[in-house]
Amino acid sequence: DDDDDDDDTCAWCGAGGEVALCDSCDKAWCADCLERHLGEDEARSIFSSGDDAPWKCVACDPSSKKIAALREQLETVLARQQHREDPGETTTNTARKRMRKHSAWTALHAMESEVSAAQESLEDESLEALRTAIQDEAVTREVADRDFNEVLRLRRRKLDLLEREHAATQDRAELAGVDLAPFYMELEAATAAGQIHMDTDTW
């Protein structure tokens, strides 16, 4: 299949030299291009096949595995370029996912605040202030103790319900794409710095 005629030039690169001539058309293909696009083994096979094995070039027979792979790569590149130029539905889906993630982050952040407030309401300092306020308003010590115990029961009940909802909110946030580990690291840092807003891009 190969030819020593230096006047033939490669259809790929335009260079002359050692080329393989197609038996189905008048195109010539140099060894470097064949090796670059088809691989070293296939290029060597083309040049060593001899006249007894007619060869069809990649333009005449683009059905080889190598050409199919090249075509698939090209289609992938073209698809990416088209997406960048006209993202269409994919961009809409991305925006929708980001909105769901942000909503889940907002809900989780609000839940963390509620749980924290409920926990603080059961701390000794808060309970002592509650007892003092009730005693100041109550007619008798017995009434004060009854009212205090009722408020304490309600506060504990509220914390129990919030903790259950908190677990469900965490699950929903993870399903929406929120990474909980960096979320809590950033939440701790923001709380320590006295910040209210946090950057959702972290998660």
Side-chain angles (χ1 to χ4, degrees):
D1 293 331
D2 53 341
D3 199 306
D4 294 332
D5 187 355
D6 292 340
D7 292 333
D8 291 315
T9 57
C10 177
W12 247 319
C13 66
E18 184 182 13
V19 293
L21 299 177
C22 177
D23 291 310
S24 297
C25 70
D26 58 358
K27 290 183 176 64
W29 309 84
C30 74
D32 289 340
C33 284
L34 289 173
E35 182 176 333
R36 183 183 306 113
H37 293 287
L38 304 182
E40 183 178 352
D41 291 341
E42 190 160 342
R44 184 183 300 110
S45 174
I46 292 170
F47 279 93
S48 62
S49 60
D51 295 335
D52 295 334
W55 174 65
K56 289 185 178 182
C57 70
V58 294
C60 296
D61 181 20
S63 61
S64 70
K65 292 182 179 180
K66 289 287 186 178
I67 296 302
L70 287 171
R71 180 176 294 172
E72 183 177 351
Q73 293 174 12
L74 176 60
E75 289 175 352
T76 300
V77 171
L78 291 176
R80 289 175 180 171
Q81 290 176 346
Q82 183 177 1
H83 169 65
R84 285 195 293 268
E85 295 171 359
D86 183 19
E89 183 68 20
T90 302
T91 297
T92 302
N93 290 338
T94 300
R96 190 177 295 117
K97 289 179 181 179
R98 184 173 181 81
M99 289 177 63
R100 284 199 298 267
K101 182 177 179 180
H102 186 271
S103 296
W105 171 87
T106 302
L108 181 57
H109 189 269
M111 179 58 64
E112 292 294 338
S113 298
E114 289 191 63
V115 170
S116 178
Q119 290 172 337
E120 289 177 2
S121 73
L122 291 171
E123 292 178 354
D124 291 342
E125 185 176 348
S126 296
L127 293 177
E128 186 62 32
L130 172 65
R131 184 182 293 276
T132 300
I134 291 177
Q135 288 176 346
D136 290 343
E137 297 291 334
V139 177
T140 65
R141 179 65 178 270
E142 181 179 311
V143 173
D145 289 344
R146 183 196 64 196
D147 291 347
F148 174 80
N149 289 331
E150 178 62 14
V151 174
L152 179 60
R153 184 187 70 81
L154 292 174
R155 288 187 178 185
R156 287 172 174 167
R157 176 60 175 165
K158 180 180 181 179
L159 178 60
D160 181 60
L161 293 173
L162 284 174
E163 286 179 339
R164 294 181 186 180
E165 179 60 24
H166 176 254
T169 304
Q170 284 182 321
D171 291 340
R172 288 192 293 269
E174 284 189 302
L175 288 174
V178 177
D179 191 340
L180 295 185
F183 171 87
Y184 283 110
M185 289 178 62
E186 190 68 19
L187 177 62
E188 183 178 356
T191 302
Q195 297 176 352
I196 300 177
H197 301 291
M198 298 161 61
D199 184 7
T200 58
D201 287 339
T202 306
W203 320 298

